[in-house]
Amino acid sequence: MSGKQRVFIGDFVHCKTLDTLEILEDTAIFVDEEGVIVAIERGCDLKKAEEISIPRLGWVKEDVMVRVARKGQFFFPGFVDTHIHAPQYPNVGIFGKSTLLDWLTTYTFPMESSLKDLARARSVYTRCIKRTLSHGTTTAAYYATIHVATTNLLSDLCLANGQRAFVGRCCLDSLSPDWYIDESPAQAIKDTRATIEHIANIDPSNKLITPILTPRFAPGCSTELMTQLGALHKETNLPFQTHISENKGELDLVKELFPNSPNYTSVYDSHGLLTPKTILAHAIHLDESEVDLIIKRQSKVSHCPCSNSSITSGTCKVRWLLEKGVEVGLGTDVSGGYSPSILEAARQASLVSRHIAMSGDDKAKLSIEEVLYLATRGGANVVGLEQKIGGFEVGMEWDAQLIGLGPNYWSEDEGNPECVKALEGVEESPVDMFGWENWEERIAKWVFNGDDRNTLAVWVKGRLVHEIRK
Amino acid sequence: MSGKQRVFIGDFVHCKTLDTLEILEDTAIFVDEEGVIVAIERGCDLKKAEEISIPRLGWVKEDVMVRVARKGQFFFPGFVDTHIHAPQYPNVGIFGKSTLLDWLTTYTFPMESSLKDLARARSVYTRCIKRTLSHGTTTAAYYATIHVATTNLLSDLCLANGQRAFVGRCCLDSLSPDWYIDESPAQAIKDTRATIEHIANIDPSNKLITPILTPRFAPGCSTELMTQLGALHKETNLPFQTHISENKGELDLVKELFPNSPNYTSVYDSHGLLTPKTILAHAIHLDESEVDLIIKRQSKVSHCPCSNSSITSGTCKVRWLLEKGVEVGLGTDVSGGYSPSILEAARQASLVSRHIAMSGDDKAKLSIEEVLYLATRGGANVVGLEQKIGGFEVGMEWDAQLIGLGPNYWSEDEGNPECVKALEGVEESPVDMFGWENWEERIAKWVFNGDDRNTLAVWVKGRLVHEIRK
């Protein structure tokens, strides 16, 4: 796994706090063989880096890989997708007028069940990983299926493609079709252990891949299964991921299935699943006491705006959660969510927050800075990697993307041969820049009209894992 | 303007009714020199077209331009953008947390005012036209600025780039900054006439470009100006475009400015602006009586979902309007709307309809078929071109786009050299196709994850106006 020493030179943008971006212009960031940032120098160009900083680090210039961003490009932290179902990837955009429970039976269980097939899983998972990397997702919390062999394949493929990932075999022993269900709680635990052991073999110190305990959601898990998963967490200290309070029909089902629990959150809590390492996806219809319990247990929330609007689950009150002190990140929730892109999730988080504002809570609106925070530092908090990823700081790892917004056009440029020449080799872009935009405007244009064409290169733990080739 | 005879061969998709797509597989469409569809033949390949159909039309094979779609590609009608402000194009994505009235003064009036400058306007309008064409917008209803010279330039550039357009000099003589306002109603009319005359010179029979009377919105127009515009409409029979009932602050302003009008709609009606040729943008907060009046006058509505969510104007109740019998099309409303793409508007129309559904009106949900209808036939109705564009029918003009969804991957294909070879030259695409998708699924994937990379070529009135070159 150990790579080259690297230097990145140019402009860097990252989130300082929930509502502040920091712009580091003309800066150099030095990354060691393990992908760890060892120095950040302001006012440092290539010459200074080579003559002063590299020797000071005890490095040899010839051994260091240098990447200098062009004027107008900038480095940004990689995105964290805190909730994505890899086996549902072929279904992105396909949801009709369904809502959660009929969406599961119509589209989702048949697709997931078919991913028992290794060849099919290889094709789907490879596309999913490559596509999410191309959108700048450097870390993903994946749900796989109930199948051990293809869940292990997903781990292998994340490792091979260099994507940082949490990979969870989906536990599902109740209320599911007989062709897609865990045989018994005992079998579910045994199979889950098999995927944990597999990851221990391929990435023993979890440098990139970490197993994650994945009870699908309360209505799909028996009390016995949840209890055993709680015990497995105590034994292994592995993280959890599950769904919570996504859809009103689901809430009724939970009430019916767990009549002794005062609410959905307490179902998880009473089985030992509500921990500081638990990622709860959706969290739309929680009441105040549930949020208080989540805060008490230090569990985290994955906000999935594309999914919540597509399958009309509801609008997650992100401002309320943040103000109460819940850690929130973004999830694509492919394929309840129609897009594999966290940038799209950020955009929709902004728009969904405006729908809440239109219902009367004006302060619900999320700013550009805030949705980018959720996409990076927020997501890092949610997956428990806030010390390692999400920003540019010495001691953190280099999970980053190089963003280019395409050529600038000034009025006098159109048709000017010199300008045309200067633009050769500049990236294609869905964003039109006119040359007069300040940083704030450039970032806004990227967030609202940018896409994977603007993500020119992506690194995880120092390693180049995606690049657009001209 | 007269061009070549053309034949298009392959699969065609268009909207038959509001909720039905028609798929014409293995079909040939024949388009004459004027861009008019003269024949549609099912079950017709290149050989049959050349041997039978072309001679039958009295055409000479060697003179006919042939475009055969590859397997997996399909022709689709061009999109109609029923509401777009070309001078605001540089501001797409830039709106902060503003709402209509402060958005106008903070972002919009300064930008529009700056487009008095011819060189700047040339740059901005060129980018806007090229970009919207690349997204498949074959017809656009443009607001320009108050300036005659650059409004005329916009008409020139639409004509030169081959985009079908309605171009309106913006009339604005009230409640605006002294550096961006019509001097007087008389001057506004005089300037509007100057832009009408210009179009009469460059496109005398309005084959592509049509002037459109454009009172910006009631709060920006004096009674005298609106009265004179009503008279100008009677004189010229030119269409109208304006804004209505977008924002609650705007509603209060209208109430204050026009205390004798029972509502916003009646302000326009009492000035003679509510006609069968009137496009009303937004129409969010209308009451029942207003909608009844709009139907009585046969005026049309441009739904702008991206804009309405971005600047938190509200959610337009499209299902209600449609069921009451209002003709509705889609508008990008650049730059209240953050995207120049009608495909994005269609996507957001779907999502916004789901937000209405989540507020309790489940039948509000718009289907894929319905949002595509709004984007094509609906838009054609709104701009009064329903006999000419919006679908594939003999007698209509060839305003169309060729859609490619990229390569298909089957599980066995990955890494297979023969497959890699077969994929050479196939378009890049943000959509992953796995080869098993049916038509419904392919269209859904396009609508939810497609973008301008999937719009391989665009024609207006038979002329090729945009093409992605590999």
Side-chain angles (χ1 to χ4, degrees):
Chain A
M1 286 292 300
S2 105
K4 288 265 187 182
Q5 294 153 342
R6 293 171 186 261
V7 184
F8 300 90
I9 297 175
D11 298 340
F12 298 76
V13 179
H14 68 152
C15 301
K16 263 318 235 197
T17 64
L18 177 63
D19 54 7
T20 333
L21 287 177
E22 182 176 55
I23 319 279
L24 303 163
E25 289 183 302
D26 303 317
T27 292
I29 293 189
F30 301 80
V31 176
D32 73 10
E33 304 87 325
E34 292 298 317
V36 177
I37 296 172
V38 292
I40 298 178
E41 299 205 9
R42 311 284 296 255
C44 181
D45 59 9
L46 180 58
K47 187 163 176 286
K48 192 172 162 194
E50 290 188 338
E51 289 178 4
I52 300 173
S53 315
I54 289 178
R56 191 197 293 144
L57 285 162
W59 294 358
V60 179
K61 196 177 82 176
E62 290 68 26
D63 295 342
V64 178
M65 292 191 71
V66 178
R67 178 77 178 231
V68 182
R70 289 175 74 123
K71 206 67 216 166
Q73 300 176 344
F74 59 93
F75 296 99
F76 194 81
F79 290 135
V80 181
D81 188 342
T82 60
H83 185 71
I84 172 167
H85 295 264
Q88 297 172 17
Y89 178 61
N91 277 345
V92 278
I94 301 172
F95 54 89
K97 289 188 177 179
S98 64
T99 54
L100 179 63
L101 300 178
D102 60 312
W103 169 84
L104 280 171
T105 51
T106 310
Y107 302 102
T108 305
F109 288 153
M111 179 61 76
E112 290 195 14
S113 160
S114 78
L115 285 229
K116 184 180 181 176
D117 181 86
L118 269 165
R120 187 171 164 111
R122 178 177 297 277
S123 168
V124 168
Y125 291 160
T126 301
R127 297 316 308 159
C128 179
I129 293 165
K130 287 191 174 171
R131 189 62 81 170
T132 52
L133 281 174
S134 78
H135 285 285
T137 299
T138 49
T139 297
Y142 282 119
Y143 286 59
T145 63
I146 65 170
H147 313 105
V148 173
T150 54
T151 299
N152 290 346
L153 178 63
L154 177 58
S155 297
D156 295 345
L157 291 169
C158 288
L159 189 63
N161 285 282
Q163 190 173 50
R164 199 184 289 273
F166 295 81
V167 177
R169 195 200 73 92
C170 204
C171 292
L172 179 71
D173 75 340
S174 299
L175 278 193
S176 301
D178 57 8
W179 39 265
Y180 189 57
I181 191 163
D182 283 323
E183 248 174 58
S184 66
Q187 187 66 41
I189 296 294
K190 192 178 158 213
D191 286 353
T192 298
R193 283 188 187 275
T195 62
I196 295 169
E197 279 156 29
H198 180 76
I199 294 173
N201 285 330
I202 62 169
D203 189 7
S205 53
N206 304 128
K207 281 187 177 174
L208 273 190
I209 316 297
T210 306
I212 184 163
L213 304 175
T214 306
R216 189 181 194 108
F217 68 151
C221 297
S222 65
T223 283
E224 195 184 335
L225 175 54
M226 286 195 280
T227 305
Q228 292 193 27
L229 282 168
L232 190 56
H233 166 74
K234 282 215 171 126
E235 175 194 328
T236 60
N237 199 29
L238 286 175
F240 269 123
Q241 60 185 352
T242 190
H243 300 80
I244 198 167
S245 204
E246 179 176 1
N247 165 285
K248 287 185 180 163
E250 174 206 17
L251 297 195
D252 294 341
L253 200 55
V254 170
K255 218 171 265 176
E256 192 187 312
L257 293 166
F258 304 92
N260 298 325
S261 280
N263 54 49
Y264 200 155
T265 306
S266 62
V267 173
Y268 290 138
D269 193 46
S270 61
H271 291 89
L273 308 189
L274 214 60
T275 79
K277 300 185 93 169
T278 300
I279 306 171
L280 300 164
H282 306 296
I284 296 172
H285 307 286
L286 300 175
D287 67 26
E288 188 110 23
S289 72
E290 292 183 274
V291 177
D292 290 340
L293 180 56
I294 287 168
I295 290 166
K296 197 167 162 195
R297 299 289 182 252
Q298 296 173 269
S299 299
K300 317 294 194 267
V301 163
S302 170
H303 172 44
C304 306
C306 293
S307 170
N308 297 343
S309 300
S310 298
I311 58 171
T312 52
S313 302
T315 47
C316 173
K317 296 179 283 298
V318 173
R319 175 72 66 210
W320 178 58
L321 294 177
L322 290 172
E323 287 193 343
K324 288 195 61 103
V326 182
E327 298 286 2
V328 181
L330 294 180
T332 59
D333 191 24
V334 162
S335 69
Y338 54 82
S339 169
S341 158
I342 283 291
L343 192 64
E344 174 71 14
R347 190 152 50 222
Q348 295 304 319
S350 165
L351 295 176
V352 164
S353 77
R354 279 160 176 71
H355 279 277
I356 299 174
M358 290 188 275
S359 304
D361 179 14
D362 197 59
K363 72 174 186 353
K365 282 185 197 177
L366 296 173
S367 66
I368 297 271
E369 293 81 1
E370 288 172 328
V371 296
L372 288 175
Y373 179 92
L374 298 181
T376 54
R377 297 234 191 220
N381 284 333
V382 167
V383 300
L385 293 180
E386 65 279 5
Q387 303 300 321
K388 265 196 185 173
I389 59 168
F392 298 132
E393 288 174 28
V394 171
M396 282 187 153
E397 300 190 359
W398 180 253
D399 282 23
Q401 45 188 325
L402 177 63
I403 304 299
L405 299 176
N408 290 332
Y409 293 90
W410 287 265
S411 51
E412 61 269 32
D413 288 343
E414 296 287 337
N416 173 342
E418 273 187 43
C419 163
V420 171
K421 187 154 172 280
L423 296 176
E424 269 170 25
V426 171
E427 60 274 5
E428 233 188 290
S429 170
V431 184
D432 276 310
M433 302 299 291
F434 288 82
W436 61 61
E437 293 89 351
N438 61 29
W439 270 109
E440 192 184 338
E441 293 166 338
R442 290 166 64 198
I443 304 279
K445 283 191 163 193
W446 171 50
V447 169
F448 275 96
N449 281 306
D451 64 29
D452 51 313
R453 281 169 283 190
N454 301 109
T455 301
L456 306 180
V458 180
W459 295 262
V460 175
K461 211 174 183 303
R463 176 181 166 199
L464 182 70
V465 292
H466 169 76
E467 183 161 28
I468 293 177
R469 306 228 169 253
K470 299 293 292 182
Chain B
M1 284 294 301
S2 104
K4 288 264 187 183
Q5 294 153 342
R6 292 171 188 262
V7 185
F8 300 91
I9 297 174
D11 298 340
F12 298 75
V13 180
H14 68 152
C15 301
K16 264 316 235 198
T17 63
L18 177 63
D19 53 9
T20 334
L21 288 177
E22 182 176 54
I23 318 279
L24 304 163
E25 289 183 302
D26 303 319
T27 292
I29 292 190
F30 302 79
V31 176
D32 74 10
E33 305 87 324
E34 291 299 317
V36 176
I37 296 173
V38 292
I40 299 179
E41 298 203 11
R42 310 286 295 256
C44 180
D45 59 9
L46 180 59
K47 189 164 174 285
K48 190 171 163 196
E50 289 188 339
E51 290 178 2
I52 300 173
S53 316
I54 289 178
R56 191 196 292 146
L57 286 163
W59 294 357
V60 178
K61 196 177 82 175
E62 288 69 26
D63 295 342
V64 178
M65 292 190 72
V66 178
R67 178 77 180 229
V68 182
R70 288 177 75 125
K71 206 67 216 164
Q73 300 177 343
F74 60 92
F75 296 98
F76 195 81
F79 290 136
V80 181
D81 188 343
T82 60
H83 186 70
I84 173 167
H85 296 263
Q88 298 172 18
Y89 178 61
N91 276 346
V92 279
I94 301 172
F95 54 88
K97 290 188 178 179
S98 64
T99 54
L100 179 63
L101 301 177
D102 60 312
W103 170 83
L104 280 170
T105 50
T106 308
Y107 302 101
T108 305
F109 287 153
M111 179 61 76
E112 290 196 13
S113 160
S114 78
L115 285 229
K116 185 180 180 178
D117 181 87
L118 270 165
R120 187 171 165 112
R122 177 177 297 276
S123 168
V124 168
Y125 291 159
T126 301
R127 297 316 307 160
C128 180
I129 294 164
K130 288 191 173 171
R131 189 62 81 170
T132 52
L133 281 175
S134 78
H135 284 285
T137 299
T138 49
T139 297
Y142 282 120
Y143 286 59
T145 62
I146 64 171
H147 314 104
V148 173
T150 54
T151 299
N152 291 345
L153 177 64
L154 177 58
S155 298
D156 296 344
L157 291 170
C158 288
L159 188 63
N161 285 284
Q163 189 173 49
R164 200 184 289 274
F166 295 81
V167 177
R169 195 200 73 92
C170 204
C171 292
L172 180 69
D173 75 339
S174 298
L175 279 193
S176 301
D178 57 7
W179 39 266
Y180 189 58
I181 191 164
D182 284 323
E183 248 175 59
S184 65
Q187 187 66 42
I189 296 295
K190 193 178 157 212
D191 286 353
T192 297
R193 283 188 186 276
T195 61
I196 295 169
E197 279 155 30
H198 179 77
I199 293 174
N201 286 329
I202 62 169
D203 189 7
S205 52
N206 303 129
K207 281 187 178 174
L208 275 190
I209 316 296
T210 306
I212 185 163
L213 304 175
T214 306
R216 188 180 196 109
F217 69 151
C221 296
S222 65
T223 282
E224 195 183 336
L225 175 53
M226 286 195 279
T227 306
Q228 291 193 27
L229 282 168
L232 191 56
H233 167 73
K234 283 215 169 126
E235 176 194 327
T236 59
N237 199 29
L238 286 174
F240 269 122
Q241 60 184 352
T242 190
H243 300 79
I244 198 166
S245 204
E246 179 175 2
N247 164 286
K248 287 187 180 163
E250 174 206 16
L251 297 194
D252 294 340
L253 200 54
V254 170
K255 217 172 264 177
E256 193 187 312
L257 292 167
F258 304 93
N260 298 326
S261 280
N263 53 49
Y264 201 154
T265 305
S266 63
V267 172
Y268 289 138
D269 192 47
S270 61
H271 291 89
L273 308 189
L274 215 60
T275 79
K277 301 185 92 168
T278 300
I279 306 170
L280 299 164
H282 304 295
I284 297 172
H285 307 285
L286 298 176
D287 67 27
E288 189 110 24
S289 72
E290 291 183 275
V291 177
D292 290 339
L293 181 56
I294 287 168
I295 290 166
K296 196 167 163 195
R297 299 287 183 254
Q298 298 173 267
S299 298
K300 317 293 194 269
V301 164
S302 171
H303 173 44
C304 306
C306 292
S307 169
N308 297 344
S309 300
S310 297
I311 59 171
T312 53
S313 302
T315 47
C316 173
K317 296 180 283 296
V318 173
R319 175 72 64 209
W320 179 58
L321 294 177
L322 291 172
E323 288 194 343
K324 286 194 62 102
V326 182
E327 299 285 2
V328 181
L330 295 180
T332 58
D333 192 24
V334 162
S335 71
Y338 54 82
S339 169
S341 158
I342 282 290
L343 192 65
E344 173 72 13
R347 189 151 52 221
Q348 294 304 319
S350 165
L351 295 177
V352 164
S353 78
R354 280 159 174 72
H355 279 278
I356 299 174
M358 289 188 275
S359 303
D361 179 15
D362 197 59
K363 73 173 186 355
K365 282 186 198 177
L366 297 173
S367 66
I368 297 272
E369 292 80 2
E370 288 172 327
V371 297
L372 288 176
Y373 179 92
L374 298 182
T376 55
R377 296 232 192 223
N381 285 333
V382 167
V383 300
L385 293 179
E386 64 279 5
Q387 302 301 322
K388 267 196 184 173
I389 60 168
F392 298 131
E393 289 173 28
V394 172
M396 282 187 152
E397 300 190 357
W398 180 254
D399 282 24
Q401 46 187 324
L402 177 63
I403 303 299
L405 298 176
N408 290 332
Y409 293 90
W410 289 265
S411 51
E412 61 269 31
D413 289 343
E414 296 286 337
N416 173 342
E418 271 186 45
C419 164
V420 171
K421 187 155 171 278
L423 296 177
E424 269 171 25
V426 172
E427 60 274 6
E428 232 187 290
S429 170
V431 184
D432 276 310
M433 301 300 291
F434 288 83
W436 60 61
E437 295 87 351
N438 62 28
W439 271 110
E440 192 184 337
E441 293 166 337
R442 290 165 64 198
I443 304 279
K445 283 191 162 191
W446 172 49
V447 169
F448 274 96
N449 281 307
D451 64 30
D452 51 312
R453 280 169 285 189
N454 301 108
T455 301
L456 306 180
V458 180
W459 295 264
V460 175
K461 213 174 181 305
R463 176 183 167 199
L464 183 71
V465 293
H466 169 75
E467 184 161 26
I468 294 178
R469 307 227 169 254
K470 299 290 295 181

